[in-house]
Amino acid sequence: MNVLQTLIDGVALGAVYALVAVGLALIFGVMRLINFAHGELITAGGYTLALASAWPKAAAIALTVVVCVVLAWAMERIAFRRLRNVAPATTLVATFAVAFTLQAVWLIAFGPQGESADVLSGLNQTAVSGELSIRWITIVMLITGGLLLAGTILLLNRTTIGLQMRAAATDFRAARLLGVRADTVISVAFVIAGVMAAAVAVLLTVQRPLVTPTFGLQVTILALVGVVVGGMDRLWTATLGGFAIGFATSVLGEALPSDQRVFLPSAVFLLVIVVLLLRPGGLFAPRGAGGVERV
Amino acid sequence: MEGEAMRRGRLVTRLGLALSLLVALVVAAGCGGDDDDGDSGDTTAAAEEGPITIGAAVDQTDLMQFFDGPALAAAQIEAEQINAEGGVDGRDIEFEVEDTRLEPARTKSVAEDMIAGGADVLWVTCDVDWATPSIQEGINAGVLTVAPCIGTDQMGPKRFGDAGQLAYSFGNVAQDEGAALAELASDKGWKSANVVTDESIAYTQNACQAFKLRFEELGGEIASDETFTEGDGTINSVVNRVNGSDADMIAICATTQEDLPAFVSGVRGGGNETPIAGPWSIDGAFWLPKDPQVSNNIYVITYASIYGDDPNPDVRKLIAEMKKQGAEPATGGFVTGAAALQGIVEAIEENGGSTDGEALASTVEGFDGLDTISGSVSFSPDFHTAFGREYRVIEIKNGEPRFTGLIKAGEPVSFD
């Protein structure tokens, strides 16, 4: 298999995982909350696309964004806001509870067999053929990932709300004393996470058009591992970690012989353990870094 | 500050290791199985008065409800019909159904309670790993234990030792199904195949292994042999490799989860119009990508056609009855439930109305071409999972599935 092909596929998959990582890291940054329910936002987006398959594509995608954003906002407003001042373990359990509750809702509402989505399926067609075989969806993944990540960076660095988010992430109490409105900052973080989840849902349903109750779960677990590996105290290290886990999965999957591919998860997590043992602060965290940016 | 950073680093390390361990445990739990061999238990005395009770310890909540539900519904309709015609030697058949929720402890206790309550036959969920806690209860109590649609040779002595003599499945054994798929390929004139196997369950592994063996026996050539594990994120690599390998057909043994439609979308998106064929595990229209140009030139062998054109009028009638009850089947696997009940009834009748487990098991093992609503089925000491069926061949053309013929394996492949 062509090395360039492997790298391109790896970068594209890494871009999707990076988008998931941004959603996770933003919430962790401002709330110190590891949101295991983030995957359910992606699943909600997937089901929305499945149900709106007959709609005009732009309308289906817009509805998906709305659903993911509203659900993200509702999660924070209903489940997490009142737990803001309790022990981290409690909020962690709350995210599990939200995730399992929503999975049960998907199972009851849509059944275990899944719903087929058909939005932008033409993107599966080959854009470049020959020595390299690149599908349009690969290109769209790269562009979407790049644009959304750039947009997030601009938002954080060039806007007032971005500045407030960064301040809140560095020292939430001090930021509040300086006039930063905690509710607004946290709500915006969840809204951005919702947008990221919607984008991931659209990209994934093009490649994997069957949406099941666990549609967003696996990508979220892997991205979360990536966030920890990259360094969850900073948005950019967490994002790079998410990218790295997606890239490594793709490249290792390509490198392993077909009859050895069943060992892929073992290989990836062995790598994770080695990285954590060697760089406990995160693979991309600056050596000896004392201060914490978080977003 | 440095101390704070180190403390945070240790915290992150612990969290990461815990996450890795959690994921590893989840993977292990998904892949692992229970290797306990059941000991041969006491044989229960046959209760030859009153109704014949079948204790069904099945999933009505979780992922296996998709398979267990339709098979049980079909069996219950069959039971109503048998009862209406006078029952089995004058005795009605009654199903006692309990939801296992796919929880191992509950699966065990439900089966235990049913046996203690006098169940004559135990009916278990359609996956041998999930069903093992109940199977062990059944066989250790000397009760005939039947699954409608387990598809591996694990349902029997191979997994459960001597006590497994009492365990049977009326699903197709993968060695037979894979062989039938190869026969279909040969009949179609396909000389070479790209084979894609989902390694996540034994059934799909065995089906494709059987396909390869029989296909080569028939003179076919395996052009490429790809594997993936459902959800491992490598399906796009598999697509690229398959699209880069010329062959007359693609044989895929996978389940109807997310990677199967991803594979079909990727292959067709790459301009590859090669016929795709697979066993019962890819049956059903629900998973098909909605684009008719993508869901095209796909062949499936299955138990029954659910598309209104099954050649057997009894099957069509059963589907109509299930629809009436709001239990429309999504795959042809439902018919195994009715077939399993017919097999149980035949065994009881051959034993003069006795429900003695060992006697029934001995009779079931001897079934050679037993006529059921799903066609004739056979069992042997090697295969306690059915073989010898005539499979329905479903062709999916421009997104529309339709019955196109029948295929039979001749004899199942042996892996020895």
Side-chain angles (χ1 to χ4, degrees):
Chain A
M1 181 56 68
N2 191 314
V3 174
L4 188 56
Q5 173 87 57
T6 303
L7 293 177
I8 291 170
D9 289 342
V11 170
L13 188 63
V16 173
Y17 279 88
L19 292 179
V20 182
V22 169
L24 291 166
L26 272 175
I27 305 297
F28 182 77
V30 297
M31 276 191 83
R32 324 307 299 154
L33 173 75
I34 298 168
N35 187 13
F36 276 94
H38 186 81
E40 304 319 309
L41 299 176
I42 298 169
T43 306
Y47 277 121
T48 306
L49 289 164
L51 296 176
S53 285
W55 291 27
K57 295 181 186 346
I61 292 169
L63 179 66
T64 302
V65 174
V66 170
V67 166
C68 291
V69 165
V70 169
L71 184 59
W73 177 82
M75 267 185 198
E76 191 276 323
R77 189 70 188 81
I78 297 167
F80 303 140
R81 184 169 292 190
R82 292 179 187 188
L83 301 174
R84 205 177 285 167
N85 296 317
V86 302
T90 306
T91 52
L92 186 66
V93 169
T95 69
F96 274 120
V98 171
F100 288 137
T101 302
L102 287 173
Q103 278 176 32
V105 169
W106 312 141
L107 195 60
I108 292 164
F110 304 108
Q113 73 270 28
E115 294 280 336
S116 188
D118 180 30
V119 177
L120 306 177
S121 59
L123 293 177
N124 275 312
Q125 290 175 3
T126 308
V128 177
S129 56
E131 191 70 14
L132 284 179
S133 174
I134 300 173
R135 287 191 260 167
W136 285 109
I137 184 60
T138 306
I139 297 169
V140 171
M141 278 176 165
L142 292 170
I143 293 172
T144 307
L147 286 177
L148 285 176
L149 293 176
T152 306
I153 291 167
L154 283 176
L155 179 89
L156 291 173
N157 291 307
R158 301 286 174 85
T159 66
T160 305
I161 189 69
L163 180 65
Q164 290 178 350
M165 288 174 73
R166 288 161 57 207
T170 305
D171 188 331
F172 198 82
R173 188 172 293 176
R176 290 189 79 171
L177 289 172
L178 291 170
V180 171
R181 295 171 66 183
D183 290 350
T184 304
V185 164
I186 290 173
S187 291
V188 169
F190 271 89
V191 165
I192 296 172
V195 172
M196 297 295 170
V200 172
V202 173
L203 295 173
L204 285 184
T205 49
V206 173
Q207 286 196 316
R208 295 156 46 187
L210 188 67
V211 183
T212 62
T214 56
F215 182 73
L217 182 65
Q218 186 149 16
V219 70
T220 303
I221 290 177
L222 262 183
L224 184 57
V225 171
V227 164
V228 174
V229 167
M232 65 194 307
D233 277 335
R234 293 168 179 78
L235 180 66
W236 69 271
T237 55
T239 306
L240 275 179
F243 174 84
I245 201 90
F247 183 80
T249 301
S250 178
V251 170
L252 277 173
E254 193 66 60
L256 285 171
S258 180
D259 59 347
Q260 302 294 314
R261 215 170 279 157
V262 70
F263 299 112
L264 176 63
S266 312
V268 170
F269 286 104
L270 184 65
L271 207 58
V272 166
I273 290 168
V274 169
V275 168
L276 287 172
L277 289 173
L278 295 176
R279 298 293 305 271
L283 182 62
F284 301 109
R287 281 183 186 276
V292 173
E293 286 178 35
R294 296 209 176 104
V295 295
Chain B
M1 186 64 80
E2 186 63 25
E4 172 67 12
M6 284 177 66
R7 190 188 62 76
R8 190 176 297 114
R10 282 197 296 273
L11 185 68
V12 170
T13 306
R14 278 191 219 113
L15 180 59
L17 289 171
L19 266 173
S20 301
L21 189 61
L22 177 68
V23 174
L25 284 172
V26 169
V27 169
C31 297
D34 190 337
D35 292 324
D36 292 350
D37 288 338
D39 295 329
S40 186
D42 297 335
T43 303
T44 53
E48 295 179 9
E49 293 175 0
I52 296 166
T53 306
I54 299 177
V58 294
D59 175 31
Q60 296 179 306
T61 307
D62 216 314
L63 300 174
M64 289 306 294
Q65 66 165 302
F66 178 64
F67 301 100
D68 291 353
L72 182 63
Q76 287 174 317
I77 291 169
E78 181 68 22
E80 283 171 17
Q81 194 174 321
I82 291 170
N83 292 344
E85 290 168 1
V88 183
D89 293 337
R91 298 166 67 193
D92 276 357
I93 298 168
E94 284 185 1
F95 273 92
E96 184 191 339
V97 184
E98 286 289 339
D99 185 4
T100 66
R101 300 181 203 147
L102 283 193
E103 296 166 10
R106 186 175 165 81
T107 304
K108 182 178 187 299
S109 64
V110 159
E112 201 173 21
D113 291 347
M114 285 174 166
I115 291 162
D120 297 300
V121 174
L122 191 64
W123 181 283
V124 298
T125 205
C126 276
D127 178 276
V128 75
D129 288 324
W130 289 116
T132 289
S134 53
I135 295 169
Q136 285 178 325
E137 287 302 315
I139 59 182
N140 289 338
V143 173
L144 178 70
T145 301
V146 171
C149 53
I150 285 173
T152 68
D153 58 5
Q154 300 288 303
M155 187 62 176
K158 185 168 182 180
R159 184 182 183 116
F160 298 104
D162 289 341
Q165 193 62 33
L166 290 143
Y168 292 86
S169 170
F170 280 74
N172 297 317
V173 71
Q175 284 90 327
D176 190 66
E177 210 168 328
L181 194 64
E183 303 272 357
L184 173 69
S186 181
D187 286 357
K188 292 278 183 191
W190 300 329
K191 303 288 183 197
S192 58
N194 290 319
V195 181
V196 179
T197 308
D198 176 2
E199 300 260 353
S200 60
I201 56 173
Y203 160 76
T204 50
Q205 291 179 44
N206 290 352
C208 259
Q209 191 184 351
F211 170 84
K212 287 183 284 188
L213 289 169
R214 180 58 51 87
F215 192 61
E216 286 182 327
E217 280 172 22
L218 294 168
E221 179 200 349
I222 305 301
S224 74
D225 190 4
E226 293 294 329
T227 64
F228 68 98
T229 303
E230 174 65 37
D232 70 358
T234 64
I235 197 67
N236 288 328
S237 301
V238 173
V239 166
N240 288 338
R241 287 169 191 262
V242 167
N243 282 347
S245 171
D246 282 336
D248 295 337
M249 71 165 298
I250 299 165
I252 181 163
C253 303
T255 54
T256 51
Q257 298 182 68
E258 291 161 20
D259 279 344
L260 175 63
F263 175 81
V264 172
S265 296
V267 166
R268 293 293 182 249
N272 186 346
E273 300 298 331
T274 308
I276 297 171
W280 168 60
S281 61
I282 72 166
D283 188 19
F286 62 91
W287 66 269
L288 292 170
K290 289 183 177 169
D291 185 341
Q293 290 180 319
V294 173
S295 296
N296 190 34
N297 209 10
I298 300 171
Y299 295 83
V300 182
I301 59 167
T302 183
Y303 300 94
S305 172
I306 56 167
Y307 309 107
D309 54 2
D310 192 276
N312 184 343
D314 290 340
V315 170
R316 296 199 298 272
K317 192 175 154 197
L318 181 56
I319 293 172
E321 187 60 35
M322 290 177 73
K323 279 184 183 171
K324 204 188 294 177
Q325 295 186 5
E328 184 175 359
T331 80
F334 74 94
V335 80
T336 58
L341 184 64
Q342 289 173 336
I344 292 167
V345 167
E346 177 67 22
I348 293 172
E349 285 178 342
E350 284 190 24
N351 283 281
S354 167
T355 54
D356 176 78
E358 283 189 8
L360 294 181
S362 175
T363 304
V364 174
E365 191 179 87
F367 283 154
D368 184 10
L370 174 73
D371 191 29
T372 72
I373 188 171
S374 68
S376 63
V377 295
S378 301
F379 296 88
S380 72
D382 287 337
F383 293 124
H384 277 209
T385 302
F387 60 91
R389 273 193 178 94
E390 263 193 326
Y391 297 86
R392 273 65 166 165
V393 179
I394 307 295
E395 181 185 0
I396 297 153
K397 201 170 181 180
N398 296 322
E400 294 295 329
R402 65 189 176 94
F403 168 79
T404 57
L406 298 164
I407 192 80
K408 199 171 175 180
E411 61 180 22
V413 165
S414 170
F415 292 155
D416 296 332

